[in-house]
Amino acid sequence: MGEFVLEMQNVSKSYYGTQVLKNVSIAVKPGEIHAILGENGAGKSTLMNILFGMSVIHSTGGFEGEVRLGGEAVAIKSPMQAMELGIGMVHQEFMLIPGFSIVENIKLNREILKDNIVSRVFGEKMKGLDHNSMAKDAKAALNTVGLTIDEWARVAGLPVGHMQFVEIAREIDKENIRLLVFDEPTAVLTENEAANLLATMRKLADSGIAILFITHRLDEVMEVADNVTILRDGALVSTLRKQDTSVVRMAELMVGREIETMAREKGSEMGQDSTILSIRDLHVRMPGEEIRGVSLEVKRGEIFGIGGLSGQGKIGIANGIMGLYPATGEVLLNGEKLELNNTKGSLARGLAFVSEDRRGVGLMLDSSIEENIAFTAMQVKNKFVRKYGPFSQVAQGEMRQHALAMIKELDIRCRGPLQATRRLSGGNQQKVCIARALTLDPIVLFVSEPTRGIDVGAKRLVLETLVKLNKEFGMTIVMTSSELAEIRSVCDRIAIISKGQVEGILAPDASDADYGLMMSGDFAKARREGVV
Amino acid sequence: MLEKLKGLVDSFGLPRTIITSFFVFVCLLAVFLGIPFLPLISDMVVRLGMNGIMVLAMVPAILAGIGLNFGLPLGVLCGLIGMLTAIEMNLTGFPSFWMSLVIAIPLAVVCGIGYGWLLNKVKGSEMMVATYVGFSAVSLMNIGWILLPYTNLELKWPIGQGLRTTVNIEGRMKWVLNSWGRIQIGSFHISLGLLLFLAFWCLLVWLFLRSKTGLAMKAVGASRQFAVASGLNVDKYRIIGATLSTVLGAVGIAAYAQSFGFLQLYDAPMFYGFGAVAAVLIGGATVRRANISHVIIGTFLFQGLLVVSLPVANLIMTGGNMAEITRITISNGVILYALTQVSGGQ
């Protein structure tokens, strides 16, 4: 047996020509907690998919590089095989059956069997369960993770923190377990539970199990990890020993990249510094992106960025203000109160929204470009409609002219205004969404994830379009994006959202360390401790 | 070559391709067997006018996102009540027909709103629920036909209580549309009244779909999330779609019955929905997409096939009820095919 439990050497992977992992190597010793740190999309999940032999890897042409377990090269073809080789995973979303007891969950598909009369006659298949020894094993595993509850309790109804420990107990109950992967295990836990979990991880490591700890929380890395590997944009940035690094240094490494600022000069309106949109104590119940008390002031004529890691709530702000998810709080537009939870009202008051869910919310995929562009303005502002008493007819001519103008203005590449939007490329679809929003003549334009899922060239065009709208028409834009580099390149001020609240507001040229700390929610703490 | 053919079939729609080929085949067979063809064509056109509006009723339901309106019998029942009441009022000719509509349409609006409200409660399984709404309404009206206080002896059983299973409308509203503007050339005839009536309702639906409300309804059907993000009240537009569909069902049965010459009560309305659904599907509609051309093409193909297959089948094999068997096989087959094409979720 070699020195390392796991070695992954020069692993590269691309999906349909897009490289998502470039020559990444990591090595983990027995008893080591090795943290893997990176933003969303840095390649953490892909690396784990490779380790577990997920079919998504093999169905897209496999990967390059080598995986060695205990010094031997292995080709892991399925999660089942990974399990047999002694690799376990504690998932972010629990993989437990709620209606089963803890014992049954822990022992699922690895039940301990005992003979009975029928099985002696009819063979293996008829063996019964040995409940006692199963319970004994489960109890032992639960004790190891420090959970003292009835092992026959049903999983449904357990507190979230306990479920996490049941998952861990299930993994360490496997006899040959030698490597355990924790995928952002503290994301759903309270601070207390998280602290418990970290302690348990340490205990497990001390018993000789190697642990891969995937996270974006820097303080947790500092607390529990021995070594840390930082990924960024699919490449390995650095592998460090904990002693040699600090929260600030890691934050820098995680975020750091060249920021390309798009040439822009401030319009004259920006100088007035007057507030156009003020948000006070906004709460939005958007599943997975909940907002818990956000207050922000957006100034007239600026591009205001909202960043943060996914799941922290940044997307909830625009969705809440537009009335797409239930919201409470106070929003003032030009000093006047905006009625919340009223989409039509928000649109009529001069807000427009380009949704992050382009194909779901943003477009009618089977309708023509011109209908998509004109639709919302028609419904909300009675544009492109001719009235005949109580009846109305669509003014086809006006609609066509407007669509043609927009196609020209935004350079939408299409076969004509009647083409269905489903057939357009991602970038052009996004432009149709923007055109639809512009048709409303908005005072404030919300844009969420404008470049998600579109190729590099088109990304740039979309961003340039936004900058142009801002510069030439003085339009106030609130842009939400997971891609920090992108918001930093176009925005005037950037709010970082963490745990549903504003962690802080930064200038685009603020240091990488500040960004990294804010993204991971460690900024306030680091400041308290005087690190920054 | 095969690729090209496949692409052609895909764009034309599999049911439409099969039914069209079968239709052409049966027509050729009819000519080959020496069956006089002109009367057959006249019959096809009449059947188009007869059934067209009930098929048209599918369009608003599909576009509003409710899917195929298997609950069509609800509208049909409203239409029947309208016609029965017009006879009860002892009207004849056109006045009786118009009075039927004047009574049936408001009734259908009320039923349609209730129906739409119900369908809003069961988003995702509308078609299943709609089928049973139709069945239950028909069953409920089985009791209704017995209890409703009609007194006209043309409607009631001569002895005992309740309405007849089949009411003869000879001398009432029979053929009011069919005989208006009837043009006879040799053995070929065409009735302008019936076709104009169909065209009028198609035009109304077409105009509606180009109105602000109509476009909003289409958006609700195309993408519920999109509609919500544009500030639309999704439930309201779905109710509009269900109501329109029910009203068209009521008008449709009036056009059908005046041509058929009888009002069929009790269990007869139960399966009107299936014929209409099959026709629109044959025309090239899907559970998410439909337009007026699908209605016209589908009704013509489906009814045309039935018209031609009857004499052909009778010549080839005597006995049996071939036309009925063809109708049921095709309509159920096509519906089955369409339902397998529904992709899960939205």
Side-chain angles (χ1 to χ4, degrees), chain A residues 163-386:
Chain A
M163 291 196 203
Q164 185 87 67
F165 285 105
V166 173
E167 280 239 329
I168 301 171
R170 182 187 63 204
E171 296 306 319
I172 62 173
D173 181 57
K174 296 170 186 166
E175 280 156 33
N176 63 345
I177 192 91
R178 46 184 168 168
L179 174 69
L180 204 46
V181 179
F182 285 77
D183 185 7
E184 298 190 17
T186 55
V188 290
L189 301 185
T190 64
E191 271 182 36
N192 239 331
E193 289 168 335
N196 265 335
L197 180 83
L198 297 182
T200 307
M201 282 169 66
R202 189 71 260 169
K203 213 160 102 189
L204 291 174
D206 291 342
S207 74
I209 297 174
I211 291 179
L212 269 180
F213 178 31
I214 300 171
T215 185
H216 50 248
R217 299 223 176 131
L218 302 170
D219 54 342
E220 290 172 358
V221 174
M222 289 309 284
E223 195 175 329
V224 74
D226 299 308
N227 296 307
V228 52
T229 292
I230 300 169
L231 298 180
R232 189 204 305 149
D233 295 337
L236 187 134
V237 179
S238 173
T239 299
L240 301 161
R241 295 199 303 158
K242 182 177 73 179
Q243 299 88 294
D244 303 340
T245 186
S246 67
V247 170
V248 177
R249 178 79 192 119
M250 286 193 295
E252 263 172 13
L253 289 171
M254 185 168 94
V255 172
R257 70 188 79 185
E258 288 151 47
I259 305 295
E260 161 192 23
T261 311
M262 295 206 175
R264 54 193 300 261
E265 291 149 31
K266 291 286 99 207
S268 53
E269 278 180 282
M270 181 64 193
Q272 300 169 3
D273 265 7
S274 62
T275 300
I276 189 161
L277 184 73
S278 75
I279 301 166
R280 289 173 201 161
D281 194 31
L282 181 73
H283 291 254
V284 181
R285 285 206 308 278
M286 178 175 182
E289 291 281 349
E290 199 150 338
I291 283 291
R292 304 179 185 92
V294 158
S295 299
L296 288 171
E297 304 275 316
V298 179
K299 298 200 173 74
R300 191 178 305 278
E302 74 175 337
I303 303 186
F304 188 81
I306 300 177
L309 293 166
S310 65
Q312 301 292 325
K314 63 179 182 302
I315 297 199
I317 297 177
N319 276 293
I321 293 174
M322 294 310 292
L324 299 181
Y325 287 90
T328 56
E330 198 178 43
V331 177
L332 301 177
L333 179 64
N334 274 331
E336 282 171 56
K337 203 165 171 210
L338 182 82
E339 192 193 338
L340 288 174
N341 305 316
N342 176 354
T343 307
K344 199 158 197 167
S346 297
L347 290 165
R349 283 286 300 280
L351 301 179
F353 180 40
V354 177
S355 170
E356 67 284 351
D357 181 2
R358 189 168 57 234
R359 296 172 68 85
V361 179
L363 293 170
M364 290 187 282
L365 289 170
D366 292 316
S367 301
S368 65
I369 294 174
E370 62 178 20
E371 266 184 38
N372 269 285
I373 292 179
F375 184 79
T376 309
M378 182 190 303
Q379 296 300 329
V380 176
K381 304 210 154 162
N382 278 324
K383 277 186 171 186
F384 315 113
V385 172
R386 256 184 246 117

Side-chain angles (χ1 to χ4, degrees), chain B residues 187-226:
Chain B
S187 60
F188 178 74
H189 66 84
I190 191 166
S191 50
L192 286 178
L194 189 60
L195 290 182
L196 281 177
F197 191 68
L198 171 63
F200 170 74
W201 286 97
C202 287
L203 178 73
L204 278 192
V205 171
W206 185 76
L207 286 174
F208 170 73
L209 292 178
R210 286 164 54 95
S211 71
K212 185 180 154 187
T213 315
L215 224 62
M217 189 188 86
K218 271 162 74 179
V220 166
S223 166
R224 213 184 296 162
Q225 292 166 299
F226 177 88

